[in-house]
Amino acid sequence: MSHPYPPRDLLPSSLELAYGRHILDQQHGPYLVATYLEQLGLADWTCRVMGYLRMYDGIDSWLEPGDIEAVDFVRQLLFKEVQRNPKDDVSALRFRLAVSMANAPVASYGAAFKIQRNLEDPMKSIWWNPLEQSWLAFLAQRESLPDFTRLYLSGPCEYRAPAQSLIEYLMER
């Protein structure tokens, strides 16, 4: 059974292949995010959106196969807005996008280091808060914790960063 080829404009050119980059390459994602924000009139929001993406940088390698990564989610979200050619004012558009990013699948994950030597000992938990530290900074804490420390990841849970806090972060100037 043959599969149809993607549209020609989505295929990399020989020049792009020579330089090892294609517009849909994941490493190219932040550049597309910045471009889409500029096209939407939200260029001044780029730094805040990049901060949001930095929070979740690296967690994608720990997620289930098929889960969408933060950069890809934001890139697709902004691409749809550019295609939609929104008639909303900039502040309403910014708020709508902030709500979508705060409720993104990757933002629903929580993580904690659980420290317990014996079953009789009380368990100590160090929860990850993406508003206070990036994913990679959270993982770096492991070096200073005891050997019997375990890392737990949880799907949608109450220990994740609250959506309201993420919206407030994204809406700050």
Side-chain angles (χ1 to χ4, degrees):
M1 178 164 87
S2 65
H3 297 284
Y5 286 105
R8 186 168 180 81
D9 57 338
L10 292 180
L11 294 173
S13 69
S14 58
L15 184 60
E16 290 170 325
L17 289 174
Y19 291 112
R21 286 283 172 254
H22 182 259
I23 197 164
L24 295 179
D25 184 352
Q26 183 185 6
Q27 300 301 317
H28 199 275
Y31 299 106
L32 281 175
V33 167
T35 301
Y36 293 150
L37 286 170
E38 186 176 347
Q39 291 174 3
L40 292 168
L42 297 170
D44 62 329
W45 198 37
T46 303
C47 185
R48 194 50 69 162
V49 173
M50 292 301 169
Y52 167 84
L53 294 176
R54 187 180 67 79
M55 290 179 203
Y56 297 102
D57 182 37
I59 194 172
D60 54 328
S61 62
W62 295 79
L63 301 179
E64 296 293 322
D67 285 344
I68 190 164
E69 300 165 2
V71 173
D72 289 337
F73 177 83
V74 173
R75 181 181 53 80
Q76 290 174 14
L77 178 69
L78 295 174
F79 175 74
K80 289 175 186 173
E81 285 298 324
V82 167
Q83 295 302 312
R84 200 175 130 227
N85 197 4
K87 304 293 187 248
D88 297 342
D89 65 276
V90 174
S91 60
L93 176 61
R94 182 188 309 240
F95 180 74
R96 191 172 71 245
L97 291 171
V99 169
S100 295
M101 285 187 253
N103 292 302
V106 73
S108 69
Y109 281 85
F113 285 117
K114 304 279 186 162
I115 305 168
Q116 184 180 30
R117 181 182 287 273
N118 300 316
L119 291 175
E120 300 85 40
D121 296 342
M123 184 178 297
K124 180 182 176 190
S125 298
I126 301 173
W127 290 97
W128 171 51
N129 183 347
L131 294 169
E132 294 174 1
Q133 63 187 162
S134 71
W135 173 248
L136 297 178
F138 173 72
L139 290 179
Q141 289 184 116
R142 176 65 178 93
E143 293 179 13
S144 63
L145 296 173
D147 289 342
F148 48 86
T149 302
R150 292 168 295 181
L151 175 66
Y152 286 91
L153 258 71
S154 58
C157 69
E158 67 274 11
Y159 298 112
R160 72 182 189 103
Q164 183 63 34
S165 298
L166 287 172
I167 292 169
E168 289 169 5
Y169 170 82
L170 286 164
M171 293 304 292
E172 287 179 12
R173 298 228 171 227

